Amino acid sequence: QVQLVESGGGSVQPGGSLRLSCAASAYSVAINCMGWFRQFPGKERDGVASIDSRGYTTYADSVKGRFTISQDNAKKILYLQMNSLKPEDTAMYYCAAKWSTACRADGYFNYFGQGTQVTVSS
């Protein structure tokens, strides 16, 4: 059983910043890869960023240089720092987790949180 609870979403103007957080709890399940996904209305959920237990990160091309994924292993919290936000970043953002030897933002993930809405608008 894996529980993922996101927070930190909200409304921001273009060019602004937000930091998303995800509190993770795993019971009798091993996790070594975590990520962030986003979903636009009427679209499939897409990977945004991933980080493995060693701190190796991958990003979708659309967010490279603007978003940074990080984790606090002691507190079991995953973060997504989003800078230079654009209106096209408006979406529901989901925290994700899995156990895998391949940890990539465009990979398959087993577990997802409930999501937090990010709206970028002037």
Side-chain angles (χ1 to χ4, degrees):
Q1 178 101 14
V2 176
Q3 291 184 336
L4 304 169
V5 181
E6 302 95 337
S7 61
S11 296
V12 64
Q13 292 187 339
S17 298
L18 280 175
R19 188 176 80 158
L20 305 183
S21 299
C22 171
S25 301
Y27 305 95
S28 301
V29 176
I31 295 294
N32 69 341
C33 174
M34 298 196 70
W36 288 97
F37 280 64
R38 64 185 180 185
Q39 187 170 24
F40 304 112
K43 301 291 187 180
E44 299 263 326
R45 202 156 39 188
D46 292 325
V48 173
S50 69
I51 186 167
D52 69 12
S53 56
R54 300 165 300 170
Y56 177 75
T57 59
T58 71
Y59 296 91
D61 287 343
S62 58
V63 306
K64 280 181 182 176
R66 300 188 299 122
F67 291 11
T68 302
I69 189 171
S70 62
Q71 60 191 354
D72 184 327
N73 288 326
K75 296 181 179 178
K76 296 183 180 180
I77 298 177
L78 181 72
Y79 300 101
L80 185 68
Q81 178 67 44
M82 304 185 294
N83 298 328
S84 302
L85 282 162
K86 306 174 181 179
E88 52 264 42
D89 293 317
T90 295
M92 184 71 79
Y93 283 73
Y94 297 89
C95 176
K98 67 176 178 179
W99 172 270
S100 176
T101 56
C103 186
R104 292 189 55 82
D106 58 358
Y108 172 80
F109 280 71
N110 303 88
Y111 305 100
F112 289 88
Q114 294 299 306
T116 185
Q117 178 69 36
V118 170
T119 301
V120 184
S121 172
S122 56

